[in-house]
Amino acid sequence: MIVLGIETSCDETAAAVVTGGRRVLADEILSQLEEHRPFGGIVPEVAARAHLENVDGILARAMDEAGLGFTDLDAVAATGGPGLIGGILVGMMTAKAIAAVSRVPLLAVNHLEGHALSARLVASVEFPYLLLLVSGGHCQLLVVEGVGRYRRLGTTMDDALGEAFDKAAKMMGLEYPGGPAVERAAANGDGGRFALPRPLKGRPGCHFSFSGLKTALRHTINGLPPGRLTGGDIADLAASFQTAAAETLVDRTANAIAEFRRLHPHLHAKGGATLVAAGGVAANRFIGGRLSDLAEKEGLALVTPPPHLCTDNGAMIAWAGIERLKLGPAGAMDGGLDFAPRPRWPLDPDAPPVMGAGVKA
Amino acid sequence: MRILALDTATRACSVALWQDGKIRRHRLRMMDRGHSEALMPMVVEIMGNVDFGDLDLLAVTTGPGAFTGLRIGLAAARGMALAAGVPCAGVTTLEAVAHAVPRSERTAPAVLVILESKRTDVFAQVFDPSLVPLTEPQAVAPEGVASLLPLPPPGGPSAIVVAGDAQARVLPVLAEAGFEPMSSSAPAVPDAAAVAAIAAARWRPDLALDDNFAPLAPLYLRPPDAKPAKNGGRLRP
């Protein structure tokens, strides 16, 4: 089974060719960092234009790299949402065109399902597992019961964590994108110098909030002596912010582990429970270290896909398509040439709405 | 010669198959949204049992038009071109509308095509009676349209033929500038049938597509609505 995966829901144009035997035959990605840098963040229209300019070239490169022709494909999978509609439309129309010409099924993949299942592309992770999905657009804790079966335990009530990193980086004058910039700056900083809040820490539940942390960082910066921030100040601010964010994540994830344990007591009794961390923020090594400590303490195995599979990529989209195809009719998924892209597409449509949380996912 | 043409740039979604010197199959549906759902099923229906690999050429409108609509058509056309290994030609929406103006109506010195931009400006281009462009495609305020037109000879005829879905927005301005606009019976929006006919007339297998066609890239005529961040959003110098 060979599937082409296309991802265009945010600021990366990506295409990959993956087999049912977990072999990644090609994995091409083009970032739009330079296009968005002047704006200090992602501009949807700029993103949509860049996707159209590049998607067919990236696809051609992926097929070359895989050494395959389009008729060798068993299906074409593309992100159908959630995300920026302009980019999703470009990837989806390209995918529909290729599927129609090659006479193979078109699979519309939920971008979040791509992240949720990516760990199974690189490791033998059995269902169910606990998933912490942290990226620039999403921050959720879910129990992955199976392909297409997700139970959301918590989500953010305001910013996604990656978004908070980007905004914090901006305030400190660090470059875009903020996640890696804050991590680099924090490496030489004192995370205990500035007392920043750990939002919701110690409270029951698994939801997140990062707007208070962001505001506190703004006040802290405004309270420093006037003039340019010193390198030391920036390092300490970055480290303090990153430490506060990590402690909040760990606290919320610990609550989710308790909930996961309640839902699946037998799994824990035999020591087979797994925590998967996915999404761009999961590539942050400091946060990864804290999650690893937590998992060890709680007796869970922690699986974090390699960084190129944590950030947006085409391989996870192809893989999610493969997981669906492997289930046969039972895995029947959205798709078809008349599929309408979905800017909002929750993994768990039955999750109760959360005050302040976006409805996009 | 076999050509598959498509258009999703404005309020219509259309697909046409050109074969043996004429339009063999054609569908056009008016729609304000839903082009991304409608287009490929229409393509499959129009293609019937014709194999994509048996096409000589694909053709698509490149704009100006709705940004999302342009991307839907171009992404689909470029995807089909890549998968089928068939070249793809670009045709502008303004050309497509101009070419639908019947020869019998092109009695004035100029044909003016005005398409809706859903903003304060309109998309405009002027052609001579044999449809050779006299101006570039442009986004222009309705008040600025008269200045695109060739000056009427003193005391001579000041009639011009006007086509396109936003022509009503410029009629008062044209009248004020002393022109006598004559509304064409041509359809107000582009149609893949016209795109296919233009492509058939221009295509030379021995020439590069760039020599005869618009580049296969969107003709937005407007930069994205976004301003660079002030100081990059930083709190300190």
Side-chain angles (χ1 to χ4, degrees), chain A residues 28-86:
Chain A
E28 294 289 333
I29 188 157
L30 186 73
S31 166
Q32 301 173 358
L33 279 184
E34 291 314 314
E35 284 89 339
H36 295 290
R37 198 186 299 279
F39 305 99
I42 296 163
V43 181
E45 177 63 20
V46 171
R49 291 184 178 198
H51 283 304
L52 176 62
E53 210 170 295
N54 298 310
V55 70
D56 54 351
I58 288 288
L59 269 169
R61 252 165 57 187
M63 295 302 288
D64 276 355
E65 171 71 26
L68 296 174
F70 288 98
T71 48
D72 297 320
L73 298 173
D74 291 292
V76 180
T79 298
L84 301 175
I85 186 72

Side-chain angles (χ1 to χ4, degrees), chain A residues 141 206 249-259 294 297-298:
Chain A
L141 280 156
C206 306
L249 269 191
V250 164
D251 176 78
R252 308 278 85 198
T253 307
N255 288 358
I257 291 171
E259 181 66 15
L294 171 71
K297 186 175 132 217
E298 298 283 348

Side-chain angles (χ1 to χ4, degrees), chain B residues 73-97:
Chain B
L74 275 161
R78 285 166 62 157
M80 285 189 277
L82 177 66
V86 171
C88 184
V91 171
T92 72
T93 51
L94 295 158
E95 288 174 308
V97 171

Side-chain angles (χ1 to χ4, degrees), chain A residues 168-325:
Chain A
K170 245 189 211 187
M171 289 190 245
M172 293 183 255
L174 295 172
E175 67 180 81
Y176 172 83
V182 170
E183 185 179 2
R184 275 194 304 275
N188 307 311
D190 171 7
R193 176 171 157 202
F194 299 107
L196 295 174
R198 276 67 170 151
L200 297 176
K201 186 175 173 183
R203 305 259 293 273
C206 306
H207 293 315
F208 299 92
S209 166
F210 295 105
S211 66
L213 172 57
K214 207 175 56 190
T215 307
L217 180 69
R218 178 181 297 275
H219 288 314
T220 303
I221 294 174
N222 286 335
L224 289 170
R228 188 180 282 271
L229 295 173
T230 69
D233 286 342
I234 293 172
D236 293 346
L237 285 164
S240 300
F241 176 85
Q242 186 172 260
T243 305
E247 280 188 23
T248 292
L249 269 191
V250 164
D251 176 78
R252 308 278 85 198
T253 307
N255 288 358
I257 291 171
E259 181 66 15
F260 182 43
R261 201 167 266 151
R262 197 183 62 73
L263 291 167
H264 295 283
H266 300 297
L267 201 59
H268 292 269
K270 65 180 168 88
T274 302
L275 167 64
V276 171
V281 181
N284 178 301
R285 272 159 299 180
F286 180 82
I287 287 174
R290 293 298 180 94
L291 288 174
S292 170
D293 294 345
L294 171 71
E296 193 177 339
K297 186 175 132 217
E298 298 283 348
L300 277 79
L302 174 67
V303 176
T304 306
H308 69 277
L309 283 178
C310 273
T311 49
D312 290 351
N313 63 89
M316 70 178 189
I317 302 303
W319 179 250
I322 288 168
E323 290 258 32
R324 292 279 185 162
L325 285 176

Side-chain angles (χ1 to χ4, degrees), chain B:
Chain B
M1 180 167 39
R2 269 204 198 100
I3 300 173
L4 178 71
L6 32 141
D7 166 69
T8 54
T10 68
R11 290 177 299 113
C13 179
S14 60
V15 179
L17 180 68
W18 177 279
Q19 193 174 314
D20 305 325
K22 59 175 197 288
I23 297 291
R24 183 164 151 200
R25 296 190 200 122
H26 173 231
R27 291 278 181 285
L28 180 142
R29 284 170 56 193
M30 296 303 294
M31 58 182 74
D32 285 321
R33 57 182 67 80
H35 300 69
S36 78
E37 294 99 294
L39 178 63
M40 287 311 298
M42 282 169 77
V43 165
V44 169
E45 184 198 340
I46 290 289
M47 288 294 282
N49 53 11
V50 176
D51 200 81
F52 283 89
D54 291 337
L55 294 171
D56 295 291
L57 187 67
L58 286 152
V60 63
T61 44
T62 58
F67 294 172
T68 297
L70 303 186
R71 286 192 283 263
I72 288 170
L74 275 161
R78 285 166 62 157
M80 285 189 277
L82 177 66
V86 171
C88 184
V91 171
T92 72
T93 51
L94 295 158
E95 288 174 308
V97 171
H99 280 257
V101 176
R103 201 176 291 273
S104 59
E105 292 179 13
R106 297 185 224 142
T107 51
V111 175
L112 171 66
V113 181
I114 300 288
L115 291 177
E116 187 54 70
S117 79
K118 297 192 173 169
R119 309 273 181 125
T120 53
D121 54 10
V122 293
F123 297 129
Q125 190 172 18
V126 185
F127 300 84
D128 78 4
S130 52
L131 302 181
V132 173
L134 298 177
T135 68
E136 292 293 307
Q138 46 203 293
V140 58
E143 305 75 52
V145 165
S147 66
L148 302 178
L149 294 165
L151 281 178
S158 55
I160 52 155
V161 181
V162 189
D165 63 347
Q167 54 178 286
R169 289 178 61 189
V170 303
L171 293 181
V173 179
L174 294 176
E176 209 165 294
F179 290 99
E180 292 166 35
M182 302 185 300
S183 203
S184 167
S185 67
V189 292
D191 181 343
V195 176
I198 293 170
R202 289 195 194 154
W203 188 53
R204 299 283 174 275
D206 51 328
L207 287 184
L209 287 176
D210 290 356
D211 294 346
N212 282 327
F213 291 99
L216 196 60
L219 189 59
Y220 293 118
L221 296 183
R222 187 187 295 114
D225 284 331
K227 295 205 167 49
K230 219 177 177 181
N231 300 325
R234 65 183 61 184
L235 297 177
R236 292 296 175 88

